[in-house]
Amino acid sequence: MDKILDNAINEAVNLVREVSEYLLCDMDDKKVLTKSGDANFVTEIDLKVQEIMIKGLKEILPESNIIAEETNENDFTLGKYTWILDPVDGTTNLMYGYKYSCIALGLVADGRPYAGIVYNPYLRELFTARKGEGAFVNGKPITVSDNKILENCLITIGTSPYDKGKADETFRITKNVFLKCRDIRRSGSAALDICNVAAGRTDGFYEMELRPWDYAAASVILEEAGGCITEWSGDKLSYIREHQAMATNGHIHFELKEVINSKE
């Protein structure tokens, strides 16, 4: 199985690199559509990237299941090889030319996360990981930071902009975290935020609502870099539904969880 999957992952990396060129297109004449919820957008670039990726992934592993953000009828099961795809993580950034978006692709095998690929074409940064083999950016090993107390940590957050009803709770928690950590950042791409924790550039990340395509690929990269990702409760993520998720270097996981779950 490993040889089959290793070949599949290598081909998928090449596919992601190739298709990522669409993210570099000029947005001026690209149609933007609004999906359900506040600030929930899809562009022609999202749809084109997804179309090409799905076709390519089916050629790489013909019998695989594909869970993708812009698909209405996803099969949320992990009974066979399953790709979990976000064609553009950071669509709003893409719309504004903010140049901080990526393609995120995870692979689940035997019901367990097996590999992650996250590519930011603006920085030409390719994050990759395979279970048990470590995590890399552009082929160089990465590890999480060694910061052991929240006071010394830089934390990134997501604001769940698709559901602004969560704003009061999100920012109440964020004030508590901000008062206890070094500083806060908000980038607009959960996959890249988690990868930055994996690379030791930040120490933690959290958001009230993450879907499988937001966290599947980056979670493998983080865990292979020595980090930890769970629900706010501390339970493992399922990879088939949305979660309140937190990702850390592992050292501060308990402390950040306590602050997030504080009712103060």
Side-chain angles (χ1 to χ4, degrees), residues 41-59:
F41 302 105
V42 61
T43 71
E44 288 184 348
I45 293 175
D46 297 69
L47 298 176
K48 186 64 175 178
V49 168
Q50 178 164 298
E51 176 188 355
I52 298 172
M53 286 294 301
I54 288 177
K55 181 177 183 294
L57 294 173
K58 282 296 187 182
E59 292 173 355

Side-chain angles (χ1 to χ4, degrees), residues 29-97:
D29 58 355
K30 298 298 181 183
K31 188 174 182 180
V32 177
L33 307 173
T34 303
K35 300 191 289 186
S36 60
D38 296 320
N40 197 1
F41 302 105
V42 61
T43 71
E44 288 184 348
I45 293 175
D46 297 69
L47 298 176
K48 186 64 175 178
V49 168
Q50 178 164 298
E51 176 188 355
I52 298 172
M53 286 294 301
I54 288 177
K55 181 177 183 294
L57 294 173
K58 282 296 187 182
E59 292 173 355
I60 292 170
L61 285 176
E63 301 302 319
S64 60
N65 179 31
I66 300 175
I67 298 171
E69 180 175 12
E70 310 306 340
T71 299
N72 292 325
E73 301 298 329
N74 279 303
D75 179 9
F76 286 99
T77 60
L78 304 175
K80 55 183 177 179
Y81 295 153
T82 300
W83 301 101
I84 304 178
L85 170 68
D86 194 338
V88 180
D89 187 49
T91 295
T92 301
N93 289 347
L94 181 73
M95 289 163 49
Y96 280 83

Side-chain angles (χ1 to χ4, degrees), residues 155-159 171 174 184-187 193 205-207:
I155 305 297
T156 50
I157 69 166
T159 55
F171 289 106
T174 296
I184 292 284
R185 297 288 183 269
R186 161 80 168 106
S187 79
D193 284 341
F205 163 80
Y206 64 90
E207 186 161 0

Side-chain angles (χ1 to χ4, degrees), residues 113-183:
Y114 184 84
I117 304 164
V118 176
Y119 187 52
N120 177 352
Y122 303 102
L123 296 178
R124 300 291 180 185
E125 284 195 331
L126 175 70
F127 295 89
T128 57
R130 305 179 196 198
K131 206 64 172 176
E133 297 184 15
F136 304 84
V137 58
N138 294 342
K140 297 180 179 180
I142 54 174
T143 60
V144 295
S145 72
D146 195 39
N147 287 327
K148 293 181 172 59
I149 58 173
L150 189 57
E151 181 182 0
N152 296 332
C153 291
L154 181 63
I155 305 297
T156 50
I157 69 166
T159 55
S160 304
Y162 307 153
D163 183 358
K164 292 186 177 177
K166 292 181 169 64
D168 286 347
E169 183 68 358
T170 292
F171 289 106
R172 181 192 68 80
I173 291 168
T174 296
K175 179 182 177 182
N176 287 342
V177 173
F178 174 70
L179 291 174
K180 294 180 182 299
C181 74
R182 177 159 285 162
D183 207 347

